[in-house]
């Protein structure tokens, strides 16, 4: 009865909302935890098992060779070869073994395996074995066996050392800051001026410009990338600017992010009380003074919200940086430098996961510095515009 009463007091819609938020948090938390655990694991254990088994160890399949037949000793009517499958100085726990590469875990540790031709083999968990035959062993090398060895859970900081000490990482970090900071500030400033003009100033073509801004939001980045680069190169040739420079990537990021910024800021600014603007105009304030002294302070939540998303995009960008900035050592951004560490096949998961957490350090700092304005800024589009 108490549970039923609590459920009625909370209400089904609110309970559904709480469960949905919990589900979203789990969908974000579980993969993130997996990436974090993987970033501290060795490459061999990553390929042998999943991150969810990191605390219980992993099973690694390997091959070993028994002692040569010349070491066999006769015990009654049988000939016996004994020893350890581990090399000197090494140890482990054998879970299973096999005599065929197609079935490396055919027998459990400690189980007597009937190989045929009067041969039996027992490999214990500690690696010791007894290889028995009812007739003398032939000449040649020792028999090859396959082992499933339990590896204890191990964690290492070598993955992070590899990433942080790689040549060029420091310069690429500076390059990313050089790209991301201006590429965040420039479109916000221009968009704020444009949003105020489209909200509170009457001029011919205003509705057409608003429609154009909305249309540019849906233009894919990949479609506009090459035309924008061609336009920049043509303009750069007139002023003697290089084809690949920081100025180019700042303008590219600004061009791609500005339509959405103008749209969001216009909705926010247009929803501000009209009485404030009219009172300022009656007092003789110019549009520039109204914008600087009234609009900008009141629009700070929307500006901070867009700043977070713009910075995250420019910081993690690789495509635009490669096209407009280049791939030289002095120009490569952090994402490009970390991508180069993965090799041509991109299979170094330990480097990939460690790189992921190194790249998110700065965005996390930016997010927590501005996160209190995030929700207020996201609701900018829901404000009734004028």
């Amino acid at each position: 009865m108490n549970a039923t009463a609590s459920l009625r007091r909370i209400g089904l819609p609110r309970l559904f909302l709480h469960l949905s938020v919990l589900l979203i948090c789990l969908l974000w938390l579980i993969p993130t935890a997996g990436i974090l655990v993987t970033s501290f694991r060795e490459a061999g254990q990553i390929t042998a098992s999943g991150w969810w088994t990191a605390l219980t160890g992993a099973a690694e399949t390997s091959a070993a060779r028994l002692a040569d037949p010349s070491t066999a000793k006769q015990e009654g009517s049988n000939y016996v070869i004994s020893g350890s499958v581990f090399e000197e100085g090494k140890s482990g726990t054998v879970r299973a073994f096999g005599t065929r590469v197609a079935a490396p875990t055919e027998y459990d540790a400690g189980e007597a395996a009937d190989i045929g031709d009067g041969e039996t083999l027992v490999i214990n968990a500690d690696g010791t074995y007894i290889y028995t035959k009812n007739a003398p062993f032939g000449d040649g090398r020792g028999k090859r066996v396959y082992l499933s060895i339990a590896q204890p859970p191990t964690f290492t900081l070598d993955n992070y050392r590899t990433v942080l000490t790689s040549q060029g990482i420091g310069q690429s970090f500076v390059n990313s800051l050089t790209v991301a900071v201006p590429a965040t500030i420039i479109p916000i400033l221009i968009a704020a001026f444009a949003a105020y003009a489209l909200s509170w100033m009457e001029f011919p073509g205003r509705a057409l410009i608003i429609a154009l801004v909305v249309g540019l939001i849906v233009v894919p980045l990949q479609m506009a990338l090459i035309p924008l680069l061609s336009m920049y190169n043509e303009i750069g040739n007139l002023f003697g600017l290089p084809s690949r420079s920081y100025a180019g990537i700042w303008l590219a990021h600004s061009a791609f992010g500005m339509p959405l910024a103008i749209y969001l800021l216009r909705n926010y600014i247009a929803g501000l009380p009209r009485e404030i603007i009219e009172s300022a105009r009656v007092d003789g304030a110019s549009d520039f003074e109204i914008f600087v002294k009234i609009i900008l302070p009141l629009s700070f939540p929307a500006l901070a919200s867009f700043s977070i998303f713009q910075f995250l995009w420019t910081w993690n960008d690789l495509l635009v940086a490669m096209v407009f900035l280049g791939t030289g050592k002095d120009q490569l951004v952090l994402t490009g430098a970390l991508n180069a560490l993965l090799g041509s096949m991109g299979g170094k998961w330990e480097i990939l996961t460690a790189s992921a957490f190194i790249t998110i350090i700065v965005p996390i700092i930016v997010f927590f510095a501005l996160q209190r304005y995030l929700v207020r800024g996201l609701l900018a589009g829901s404000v009734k515009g004028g």
Side-chain angles (χ1 to χ4, degrees):
M1 295 295 293
N2 293 334
T4 304
S6 300
L7 181 61
R8 290 178 179 176
R9 183 170 61 254
I10 296 175
L12 287 178
R14 189 174 181 182
L15 179 62
F16 178 77
L17 176 63
H18 290 176
L19 292 176
S20 300
V21 173
L22 178 61
L23 179 61
I24 293 174
C25 291
L26 290 176
L27 290 176
W28 179 88
L29 182 62
I30 292 176
T32 305
I35 295 175
L36 178 62
V37 173
T38 304
S39 67
F40 291 101
R41 302 183 73 197
E42 296 178 346
Q45 292 200 355
I46 293 175
T47 57
S49 62
W51 62 267
W52 51 90
T53 62
L55 297 178
T56 59
E60 180 179 329
T61 302
S62 62
R65 192 175 293 277
L66 306 183
D68 294 339
S70 60
T71 62
K73 298 179 180 179
Q74 186 174 3
E75 296 180 1
S77 60
N78 294 328
Y79 292 82
V80 178
I81 300 175
S82 61
S84 175
V85 295
F86 296 116
E87 298 178 0
E88 186 177 355
K90 295 186 178 181
S91 62
T93 302
V94 179
R95 291 183 177 180
F97 68 96
T99 58
R100 298 176 299 147
V101 67
T105 59
E106 188 174 2
Y107 308 100
D108 294 330
E111 179 183 353
D114 185 1
I115 303 177
D117 296 332
E119 299 179 6
T120 58
L121 175 62
V122 177
I123 300 181
N124 300 310
D126 60 358
T128 59
Y129 66 87
I130 299 176
Y131 184 23
T132 307
K133 188 175 182 179
N134 57 8
F137 290 96
D139 297 331
R141 303 178 64 186
K143 187 175 185 61
R144 179 179 289 273
V145 294
Y146 301 92
L147 310 169
S148 176
I149 303 174
Q151 298 291 341
T154 57
F155 299 94
T156 178
L157 293 175
D158 290 342
N159 301 332
Y160 287 93
R161 292 192 188 98
T162 300
V163 175
L164 293 175
T165 58
S166 297
Q167 185 177 6
I169 291 296
Q171 180 62 45
S172 64
F173 184 87
V174 175
N175 293 344
S176 288
L177 284 178
T178 306
V179 170
V181 174
T184 301
I185 297 176
I186 293 174
I188 288 178
L189 290 178
I190 298 176
F193 280 102
Y196 173 76
L198 295 175
S199 300
W200 297 105
M201 298 176 64
E202 297 292 340
F203 54 90
R206 175 171 172 265
L208 182 61
I209 295 177
I210 295 176
L212 179 63
V213 169
V214 175
L216 289 175
I217 294 176
V218 300
V219 176
L221 181 150
Q222 294 81 358
M223 181 180 295
L225 194 60
I226 300 304
L228 189 62
L229 178 62
S230 300
M231 291 174 57
Y232 171 76
N233 289 337
E234 292 177 359
I235 297 175
N237 291 333
L238 297 177
F239 295 95
L241 296 176
S243 59
R244 293 186 174 184
S245 63
Y246 285 110
I249 194 171
W250 294 338
L251 294 176
H253 281 304
S254 300
F256 291 130
M258 203 176 302
L260 180 59
I262 294 175
Y263 177 77
L264 293 177
L265 291 176
R266 178 190 174 274
N267 286 349
Y268 192 92
I269 293 174
L272 296 176
R274 183 178 294 271
E275 293 79 7
I276 299 177
I277 309 298
E278 297 299 334
S279 299
R281 287 176 175 171
V282 170
D283 293 337
S286 64
D287 285 317
F288 182 79
E289 292 175 333
I290 294 174
F291 173 77
V292 174
K293 296 180 180 180
I294 299 177
I295 300 301
L296 278 185
L298 293 177
S299 303
F300 188 78
L303 295 173
S305 176
F306 177 76
S307 298
I308 293 175
F309 292 107
Q310 180 71 3
F311 185 86
L312 291 179
W313 172 54
T314 54
W315 178 264
N316 294 316
D317 171 65
L318 178 61
L319 176 60
V320 178
M322 293 179 64
V323 173
F324 281 86
L325 196 58
T327 57
K329 292 183 178 180
D330 296 334
Q331 300 171 322
L332 201 61
V333 294
L334 184 60
T335 50
L338 296 177
N339 182 65
L341 294 178
L342 301 180
S344 59
M345 302 301 292
K348 297 181 179 180
W349 284 94
E350 70 281 5
I351 301 299
L352 178 63
T353 52
S355 301
F357 277 90
I358 290 175
T359 56
I360 66 174
I361 292 176
V362 174
I364 285 178
I365 295 174
V366 173
F367 175 80
F368 282 106
L370 302 175
Q371 59 88 22
R372 60 176 176 170
Y373 303 104
L374 180 61
V375 175
R376 293 167 60 187
L378 289 176
L379 295 177
S382 64
V383 179
K384 183 178 179 180

